[in-house]
Amino acid sequence: MLQEFLYAKIHRATVTDANLNYVGSITIDKALLKASGIKENQRVDILNINNGERFNTYVIEGEENSGCICLNGAAARKAEKGDLVIIVAYALLDKEEQKTFVPKVVHVDKDNKIANK
């Protein structure tokens, strides 16, 4: 049996933009994607610390080292520039994988630069 577990998390990232006029998704700095193991087009949950909103969308890769965390389309209604968010991805693991799997957690500073290298 497969069960869903935390795969990766980008913790307390600052929203840098919210673009209603885009098709939809979240654009994330490529450096943060690399560090977390989250992939482009992967489904993620967004947890907004400022207003309590919790929603899901998919990832678009942003410019590397740009600090970009941009909510696009309908997701842009769920956060404002400056809000703190937690970006979470999950994986399906079997019983053997569950014993040894360790999720990647990436902490960032106020400029969305990796703080836990």
Side-chain angles (χ1 to χ4, degrees), residues 23-60:
V23 177
S25 62
I26 184 170
T27 305
I28 302 174
D29 179 327
K30 183 177 181 177
L32 299 178
L33 295 178
K34 284 181 185 177
S36 67
I38 297 172
K39 307 290 188 223
E40 187 166 34
N41 297 311
Q42 185 171 357
R43 178 184 168 181
V44 291
D45 285 350
I46 311 300
L47 317 175
N48 188 323
I49 295 168
N50 290 70
N51 65 19
E53 288 281 357
R54 299 172 70 96
F55 58 96
N56 57 58
T57 189
Y58 65 93
V59 173
I60 291 178

Side-chain angles (χ1 to χ4, degrees), residues 10-21:
I10 301 171
H11 192 70
R12 295 181 67 89
T14 302
V15 175
T16 58
D17 199 7
N19 183 354
L20 281 172
N21 297 316

Side-chain angles (χ1 to χ4, degrees), residues 1-3 5 93-101:
M1 171 175 46
L2 297 176
Q3 293 177 301
F5 286 84
L93 303 177
D94 64 30
K95 289 194 183 287
E96 285 305 307
E97 292 170 315
Q98 291 171 26
K99 293 176 184 177
T100 59
F101 183 78

